[in-house]
Amino acid sequence: MLRSLSIPARGTALIALGLLVLGASVLAGCSPQGESDPAANQAGAGLTAYFDATIIDGTGGPPITEGVLLVRDGRIERVGSADEVDVPEAAILVDLSGKFVMPGLIDTHVHVGGTLGLEGGHYSTENILRQLGLYARYGITTVNSLGDDQPEAIDVRDSQNTAALDRARIFVGGTVVTGDTAEEALAVVEENAAMGVDWIKFRVDDNLGTVPKMSPSVYQPVIERAHELGLPAAVHVYYLDDTKLLLESGIDFIAHSVRDAEFDEETIGLFAGRNACYSPTLTRELSTFVYEDTPDFFADPFFQAEVDDEIIAQLSDPERQQSVKENRAAQLYKEALPTASANLMALTNAGVRIAFGTDSGPPARFQGYFEHLELAMMADAGMTPAQILKSATIDAAACLGLDDVGTLEAGNWADFVVLGANPLEDILNTRTIEAVYIAGNRVSRR
Ligand SMILES: [Zn+2]
């Protein structure tokens, strides 16, 4: 016996999420076990039905009201309105009335595994897993680690293709490719490929005029070789002219904002022509200067929940704040931030794919919280909540070449976030997290 959920669900008093997990037969009116249809029970075995939520499925269509999400073996089996989706009798029910469900967020530019407290140099499997748990608790269910990754990260990535997963998924860039000659750089590409990376990453930047830049004669063979190996190429940039030449050279992913000049039509056209992705990392800029004072977010309980008081105290030290105020690079990055915001809007308005990215992970770029800060900065730059969510879900997944995360559609992993308020009304509502699920497993609190 298959039946629609809407009638019994509406008859049920609102019960807090997490308390109501019942067998469907209970809601069906306590019918004796003998009367149930064995075939229907078979169909419901191992199935969980999340019901009566407003579902934002990430495809850009209108939200599904009175939505039902069916999950089995870590993946979405069906999603739709209560009218469309029948729930087998034996399914486990989770009442999400009054809640909003969105796909787990995807950060396309992070660094995982090295930082502990405010220190680098702590790379280990344990630290990778700890950080992936932290991301997960903030609703970031997939991250792309673009640099300084070691074989431990490859092993962690290779163990995540399971319905038992309950931490963020990771994809890996390996060692940032460097070299004075093409030969030297290509040797690093080969080492990365042998390790099993998902990306080839390099830098074309002079760090505000302080170091030599990688030249096209070095990076063009790197891009070419990456593509021969079937790997996309990502680049750290700062300057518009470099970005233009990189796009002409076939780059797939611009991993930071262009900050020296505003985009021109020609460069915007190059993005479209290559279908290249652009990752703003506005919070990376923020992190360079924000600790010159005590940031407002130090008082935010959503931040405090995952950051030790000791770290907040260290970053609030007046001497440290003074050194940030006097730091030339910090002040130049601060001056350049409005250009980054304007460029984000120019590309957004042109329909270029914006790959949500923060560069979180290095010391004082707080994983999880900085993603939510980035969402807010994208809104401040002028993006609508729908545009921002698109960037952090379906577009981020596409920019990473992932086809089974980023949207809540049949066949995808059941990676989703339950919110108390509608993120399409105000992007800050992504902070009203009530539960996070990865492969259908509820992520436990700290
Ligand atoms: Zn980075």
Side-chain angles (χ1 to χ4, degrees):
M1 180 187 69
L2 296 173
R3 57 179 179 74
S4 164
L5 250 184
S6 55
I7 294 165
R10 283 208 200 91
T12 308
L14 177 64
I15 298 174
L17 172 66
L19 295 180
L20 182 67
V21 179
L22 302 171
S25 58
V26 176
L27 284 185
C30 306
S31 60
Q33 201 60 35
E35 284 176 29
S36 39
D37 176 347
N41 274 329
Q42 195 66 32
L47 195 68
T48 303
Y50 301 85
F51 71 95
D52 217 7
T54 300
I55 298 178
I56 298 156
D57 68 10
T59 64
I64 303 163
T65 52
E66 291 182 27
V68 180
L69 187 68
L70 297 185
V71 174
R72 192 197 309 261
D73 296 334
R75 292 195 184 255
I76 296 166
E77 194 158 288
R78 270 210 77 183
V79 58
S81 68
D83 295 341
E84 299 162 344
V85 180
D86 286 322
V87 177
E89 190 169 334
I92 292 168
L93 298 179
V94 180
D95 183 353
L96 297 181
S97 43
K99 310 299 179 197
F100 296 82
V101 170
M102 67 172 186
L105 302 174
I106 299 172
D107 191 335
T108 66
H109 184 169
V110 304
H111 296 275
V112 175
T115 302
L116 194 62
L118 290 176
E119 271 182 11
H122 292 274
Y123 201 87
S124 68
T125 300
E126 185 191 2
N127 207 28
I128 293 168
L129 292 172
R130 181 186 66 78
Q131 294 183 357
L132 294 176
L134 174 59
Y135 280 118
R137 292 193 292 278
Y138 276 103
I140 321 303
T141 57
T142 297
V143 297
N144 190 40
S145 189
L146 276 182
D148 307 328
D149 307 289
Q150 297 173 31
E152 289 88 337
I154 301 290
D155 291 341
V156 170
R157 180 202 64 194
D158 289 344
S159 69
Q160 68 198 8
N161 202 18
T162 162
L165 194 71
D166 64 354
R167 47 85 178 164
R169 301 173 195 281
I170 184 173
F171 296 90
V172 179
T175 304
V176 175
V177 174
T178 55
D180 293 331
T181 64
E183 198 178 25
E184 283 173 20
L186 288 171
V188 184
V189 172
E190 297 303 328
E191 281 168 26
N192 274 329
M195 186 168 91
V197 298
D198 303 291
W199 285 85
I200 294 298
K201 156 91 179 281
F202 57 96
R203 290 195 175 91
V204 179
D205 193 7
D206 63 3
N207 292 350
L208 301 169
T210 60
V211 295
K213 256 192 263 187
M214 185 182 268
S215 77
S217 65
V218 177
Y219 70 66
Q220 284 169 340
V222 167
I223 296 172
E224 204 173 303
R225 182 63 185 142
H227 290 167
E228 280 172 13
L229 292 163
L231 297 170
V235 65
H236 167 118
V237 294
Y238 184 86
Y239 299 100
L240 178 64
D241 286 350
D242 292 328
T243 303
K244 196 178 288 185
L245 190 52
L246 282 153
L247 286 164
E248 286 167 350
S249 305
I251 197 75
D252 303 285
F253 191 97
I254 301 293
H256 291 287
S257 284
V258 167
R259 289 157 276 170
D260 69 313
E262 294 196 8
F263 277 120
D264 52 77
E265 288 306 316
E266 188 193 347
T267 313
I268 292 172
L270 289 170
F271 273 99
R274 252 210 81 64
N275 207 13
C277 296
Y278 181 80
S279 190
T281 69
L282 302 174
T283 46
R284 179 264 170 216
E285 305 312 303
L286 184 79
S287 75
T288 63
F289 64 82
V290 74
Y291 304 113
E292 67 186 8
D293 285 310
T294 303
D296 291 345
F297 62 77
F298 278 6
D300 182 353
F302 192 57
F303 174 77
Q304 293 169 342
E306 296 283 358
V307 179
D308 294 341
D309 292 345
E310 171 59 26
I311 289 169
I312 295 175
Q314 283 179 47
L315 288 172
S316 307
D317 173 34
E319 261 177 54
R320 188 187 173 113
Q321 291 180 341
Q322 190 59 32
S323 74
V324 176
K325 269 190 199 118
E326 290 168 6
N327 185 288
R328 171 182 173 265
Q331 297 309 318
L332 288 174
Y333 287 130
K334 184 184 190 176
E335 276 173 37
L337 183 52
T339 304
S341 298
N343 279 337
L344 172 58
M345 283 318 292
L347 293 190
T348 298
N349 292 334
V352 171
R353 292 191 297 183
I354 307 300
F356 177 68
T358 59
D359 209 1
S360 70
R365 293 187 216 160
F366 294 95
Q367 292 162 322
Y369 188 80
F370 263 42
E371 278 70 13
H372 289 272
L373 215 47
E374 184 84 22
L375 297 171
M377 290 181 79
M378 292 165 89
D380 289 345
M383 292 175 78
T384 66
Q387 287 172 331
I388 297 168
L389 281 187
K390 180 171 180 278
S391 160
T393 57
I394 188 170
D395 282 359
C399 287
L400 297 183
L402 304 175
D403 59 7
D404 59 0
V405 295
T407 60
L408 303 178
E409 294 178 282
N412 281 3
W413 285 114
D415 296 358
F416 61 95
V417 184
V418 179
L419 301 171
N422 188 351
L424 290 173
E425 278 175 11
D426 183 346
I427 200 65
L428 296 183
N429 287 340
T430 56
R431 301 178 184 202
T432 62
I433 297 172
E434 303 206 358
V436 179
Y437 290 85
I438 292 176
N441 301 301
R442 189 168 178 178
V443 173
S444 44
R445 290 172 193 268
R446 193 186 186 191

